[in-house]
Amino acid sequence: MSEEIKYAIVDTVEPTNAKFSDDPMFRKERKLTRAEKRAIDAKGRLSSPWASGIAILLALIWTIPTFGLFLTSFRPEPDIRKTGWWTWFTNPNVTLNNYEETLFGSSTGLSTFFLNSFVVTIPSVIIPITLALLAAYAFAWIEFPGRNILFVAVFALQVVPIQVTLVPLLTQYVNWGLAGSFWTVWLSHSIFALPLAIFLLHNFMKEIPASLIEAARVDGAGHVKIFFRVLLPLLMPAIASFGIFQFLWVWNDLLVALTFAGGNKNVAPLTVRVAELSGTLGAKWHLLSAGAFISIIVPLIVFLSLQRFFVRGLLAGSVKG
Amino acid sequence: MDWLLKATTPAEKILVMFVAILLFAGVMAFILYVSEKLPRWIPAVGFLLPAVIMLAFGLLWPGLRTIFDSFRDAAGRKSVGVDNYVTVLTNPDFQIILLNTLAWVVAVPLLSTVFGLLYAVLVDRTRFEKLAKTLIFLPMAISMVGASIIWKFVYQYKPATANQTGFANQILVWLGLPPQQFLLNPPWNTGFLIVIMIWIQTGFAMTILSASIKAIPDEITEAAQIDGAGSLSTFFNITVPSIRPALIVVITTIAMATLKIFDIVRTATGGQFQTSVIANEFYSQKFSQGNNGIAATLAVILFVLVIPIVIYNVRQMRISEGER
């Protein structure tokens, strides 16, 4: 790759990021001055302490349900049965038995399903993103007959609710003898993710200046080289956003997993098992509370550590459209 | 090679996963390698083919097949005309389901958006903005299955003579009221399920609306304030009109998600006690009752109901882009 392209890349990093600089959440350098100005403004505003107070209060109310169950998952079983979690503050008993029993006990066995969730999710994120990148590249940078019609068709497929597709797909999988294996779950999740992934990544690719691609072509770079050397580095934020989205989507999904892997404890992910336990365990809250948190913990970590990308993806997906 | 289809031990499962990823990478590398040698637009075929085949196989064909099935009997053997649709629209049991779905689709987008907007305005420029926003947004990361269990615990019922273990009933007891079976009595139980979805979606509404509120230039709000507009007047005359496109996107997006709601009903009540909705009934009809025709009909109804929301959404997006 020639020096010009490298320079051009450095140059274009700015404009691509500029997409987000309209949006204050991602304004990095300018945010400081803006925030300071606002802090000064806010001090002058009478409503500010009240607003802060109400905001915090509402945030606490929003968190109480989750916190209550979280606390419960660490309380001994007899305590949970007889008293509410708020009595914990006067009677603080803590145990890890609930987690141990939920993960390894014979009635729940969530450790198996925990692994299943990972095995289901990872390929279901990698495969659609890769395929969508290829397709989005073709739509964005290769002129071919029927390009617009095909792109609109892919866009329109976002409308199809997955319920419409489940039964015929399942019948087909059964006919192929693949039903109840990881393969069908991966394939289904990949298919359902494709329309949105292609659409979003295409929009991001279109933001990259055509001159950059042209320059690389003049230098004799083929599609593969252009894609990996020029586009991929610029697309990383978009890929990260969609990747987190898809990860949370697949990990938290119930319908697809229930339909294609529901009956098989070697494939079914946590959501399927926990939803099932919600019906069968009934009042055994020491197991249900721990089970719920085992299924929640991974997306929570992903979300909290990568919140910035997640919010960016959200805004790109629904506002920028 | 049995383990490729029936992996049982942890090692086998992880191995299958890597085999799948490597296999996929191999196919992709092959496509890239071949297309590199081809002239002009021909590589586009290779780049698009996997996605197009998958979409045709996994969305287009099953969609058409389901529409076809909706005009056939429970086993899919013979045509029954529009009988399935007549059943779904006239049978009282199904009418409850349709009404429940309507309640969901009206209440969730409106209330989530109102809460999200209020919160975005309230929290804007306050000291704990970031923390408060994260806490409100957190339910978005939790699965609907997890959220349903969290709320089922809040709604727990114990007779008035015993200690309450559910927080909602404890509040009632503290207020001197009798404890309630929140999830048992229609039609209010649907309302209490709707609360769960509002709890989840408010964070989404808040995030998007907050971003667009911050995008309103300070000069405009300041000018209004100099002209003597109070907080309320500024809110209704400046803020709301300025973020109208974002409001519409939020409402329609939540409406689409709510229309297909399944996980909450399935986990919290299983659709019992007259809480079922279309997407849940679709699942029960197919996998519990084995009625393929009715299941297909419900799926198609879902499809038909989604279309106007999408069209409205896309049109609004076009309009707001035209304005820019």
Side-chain angles (χ1 to χ4, degrees):
Chain A
M1 187 164 45
S2 72
E3 280 302 302
E4 286 85 6
I5 295 180
K6 278 184 194 152
Y7 279 122
I9 290 174
V10 173
D11 274 342
T12 42
V13 169
E14 283 304 315
T16 343
N17 286 344
K19 179 182 170 87
F20 295 115
S21 70
D22 296 337
D23 161 6
M25 290 194 118
F26 306 109
R27 203 166 348 202
K28 259 203 155 172
E29 279 92 348
R30 280 173 62 205
K31 195 182 175 184
L32 259 179
T33 53
R34 228 8 219 281
E36 278 164 8
K37 200 177 129 211
R38 282 184 166 170
I40 295 162
D41 279 350
K43 269 183 196 163
R45 284 188 4 191
L46 198 72
S47 63
S48 185
W50 283 102
S52 297
I54 297 173
I56 282 293
L57 190 71
L58 277 174
L60 285 180
I61 293 175
W62 232 251
T63 318
I64 284 176
T66 317
F67 176 76
L69 195 73
F70 181 67
L71 198 59
T72 301
S73 69
F74 291 103
R75 297 178 76 213
E77 194 260 332
D79 288 14
I80 298 176
R81 212 153 16 91
K82 289 186 200 118
T83 56
W85 56 265
W86 48 92
T87 61
W88 180 86
F89 296 101
T90 51
N91 180 25
N93 292 327
V94 173
T95 173
L96 284 175
N97 286 349
N98 302 341
Y99 281 92
E100 203 185 314
E101 195 182 337
T102 318
L103 278 172
F104 306 108
S106 57
S107 67
T108 46
L110 281 194
S111 56
T112 312
F113 297 89
F114 196 73
L115 178 69
N116 291 351
S117 271
F118 273 107
V119 177
V120 162
T121 307
I122 294 169
S124 303
V125 173
I126 297 175
I127 294 171
I129 290 184
T130 313
L131 289 174
L133 277 170
L134 276 185
Y137 176 83
F139 279 127
W141 297 115
I142 305 177
E143 294 257 0
F144 60 90
R147 176 166 80 161
N148 288 338
I149 294 173
L150 195 59
F151 184 67
V152 169
V154 170
F155 174 75
L157 281 177
Q158 283 184 67
V159 182
V160 179
I162 54 177
Q163 279 86 356
V164 173
T165 69
L166 293 180
V167 179
L169 269 183
L170 183 64
T171 314
Q172 192 60 59
Y173 293 153
V174 171
N175 288 345
W176 285 345
L178 288 174
S181 71
F182 283 115
W183 301 87
T184 59
V185 185
W186 292 329
L187 181 61
S188 311
H189 272 304
S190 300
I191 291 169
F192 299 147
L194 273 178
L196 183 65
I198 294 175
F199 178 67
L200 278 184
L201 292 174
H202 168 265
N203 283 359
F204 276 100
M205 284 208 195
K206 269 294 184 192
E207 300 262 317
I208 295 165
S211 55
L212 198 64
I213 314 288
E214 288 304 319
R217 271 198 199 134
V218 171
D219 277 359
H223 292 298
V224 176
K225 209 164 186 181
I226 291 177
F227 180 77
F228 280 103
R229 293 283 180 77
V230 183
L231 293 177
L232 204 59
L234 295 174
L235 284 172
M236 273 334 271
I239 294 172
S241 301
F242 188 79
I244 296 165
F245 245 142
Q246 178 69 4
F247 183 91
L248 293 178
W249 209 109
V250 175
W251 186 282
N252 288 339
D253 157 79
L254 176 65
L255 182 60
V256 175
L258 201 57
T259 306
F260 296 124
N264 189 346
K265 86 183 259 289
N266 281 315
V267 179
L270 278 170
T271 44
V272 169
R273 183 61 175 156
V274 172
E276 191 181 55
L277 291 178
S278 162
T280 55
L281 284 185
K284 289 188 179 163
W285 279 102
H286 66 293
L287 296 181
L288 259 186
S289 58
F293 273 94
I294 291 166
S295 78
I296 287 170
I297 187 73
V298 172
L300 221 51
I301 292 171
V302 168
F303 170 76
L304 286 177
S305 52
L306 301 167
Q307 197 180 357
R308 219 164 55 86
F309 289 107
F310 182 70
V311 172
R312 179 183 296 180
L314 213 60
L315 294 170
S318 51
V319 175
K320 308 274 178 186
Chain B
M1 296 300 269
D2 204 30
W3 54 270
L4 270 176
L5 273 182
K6 293 189 173 63
T8 46
T9 67
E12 279 175 1
K13 285 178 192 173
I14 292 169
L15 195 63
V16 171
M17 183 176 85
F18 279 110
V19 167
I21 292 172
L22 283 177
L23 201 67
F24 175 70
V27 173
M28 289 298 112
F30 177 75
I31 289 175
L32 289 177
Y33 177 77
V34 172
S35 61
E36 188 73 350
K37 320 264 171 206
L38 298 169
R40 296 198 329 220
W41 55 268
I42 298 170
V45 178
F47 292 171
L48 284 168
L49 212 56
V52 169
I53 290 175
M54 282 169 74
L55 289 173
F57 162 76
L59 284 174
L60 197 61
W61 169 77
L64 295 174
R65 174 79 214 193
T66 298
I67 294 172
F68 176 76
D69 281 344
S70 73
F71 296 105
R72 300 180 81 79
D73 67 355
R77 288 216 186 80
K78 61 175 202 294
S79 171
V80 293
V82 293
D83 280 7
N84 289 330
Y85 289 90
V86 173
T87 308
V88 171
L89 294 175
T90 56
N91 181 316
D93 289 342
F94 283 111
Q95 280 176 341
I96 291 173
I97 291 161
L98 296 180
L99 276 179
N100 283 343
T101 311
L102 182 71
W104 277 84
V105 174
V106 172
V108 175
L110 281 183
L111 292 174
S112 306
T113 309
V114 167
F115 286 140
L117 178 59
L118 280 180
Y119 204 76
V121 173
L122 206 61
V123 86
D124 192 31
R125 301 174 194 200
T126 58
R127 206 181 299 166
F128 311 104
E129 178 169 349
K130 225 181 153 190
L131 173 71
K133 271 182 169 175
T134 303
L135 287 178
I136 301 278
F137 198 41
L138 215 54
M140 278 292 285
I142 297 175
S143 62
M144 293 201 198
V145 173
S148 307
I149 290 180
I150 287 173
W151 278 89
K152 236 179 124 176
F153 189 60
V154 171
Y155 290 146
Q156 256 196 107
Y157 169 82
K158 291 272 169 79
T161 46
N163 279 332
Q164 292 300 322
T165 49
F167 196 56
N169 272 322
Q170 180 66 55
I171 291 175
L172 289 182
V173 169
W174 276 332
L175 294 173
L177 298 165
Q180 297 296 320
Q181 295 267 24
F182 287 102
L183 296 179
L184 242 52
N185 304 319
W188 300 110
N189 51 7
T190 291
F192 291 114
L193 292 183
I194 287 176
V195 167
I196 306 177
M197 187 65 166
I198 294 173
W199 181 72
I200 296 174
Q201 295 294 339
T202 297
F204 166 75
M206 177 206 66
T207 307
I208 301 227
L209 297 176
S210 172
S212 57
I213 286 175
K214 285 182 190 297
I216 302 173
D218 283 351
E219 294 76 24
I220 296 181
T221 0
E222 275 161 23
Q225 275 157 2
I226 290 168
D227 284 349
S231 309
L232 270 185
S233 167
T234 317
F235 176 74
F236 283 109
N237 295 320
I238 307 287
T239 310
V240 173
S242 307
I243 60 168
R244 195 173 162 269
L247 273 175
I248 289 167
V249 169
V250 166
I251 292 178
T252 48
T253 308
I254 298 178
M256 282 187 273
T258 310
L259 193 59
K260 297 181 228 165
I261 189 73
F262 165 74
D263 310 23
I264 294 179
V265 176
R266 172 97 193 157
T267 312
T269 63
Q272 289 172 291
F273 320 117
Q274 303 185 14
T275 53
S276 196
V277 289
I278 295 178
N280 182 68
E281 194 58 27
F282 155 81
Y283 190 87
S284 316
Q285 285 292 337
K286 172 63 197 174
F287 295 103
S288 312
Q289 327 264 356
N291 192 330
N292 207 21
I294 295 280
T297 305
L298 289 164
V300 171
I301 289 176
L302 214 55
F303 193 6
V304 171
L305 291 176
V306 143
I307 289 172
I309 309 179
V310 175
I311 290 176
Y312 184 66
N313 191 341
V314 170
R315 270 190 58 192
Q316 285 299 326
M317 229 136 55
R318 285 266 166 80
I319 292 170
S320 69
E321 261 164 26
E323 279 168 2
R324 253 178 238 159

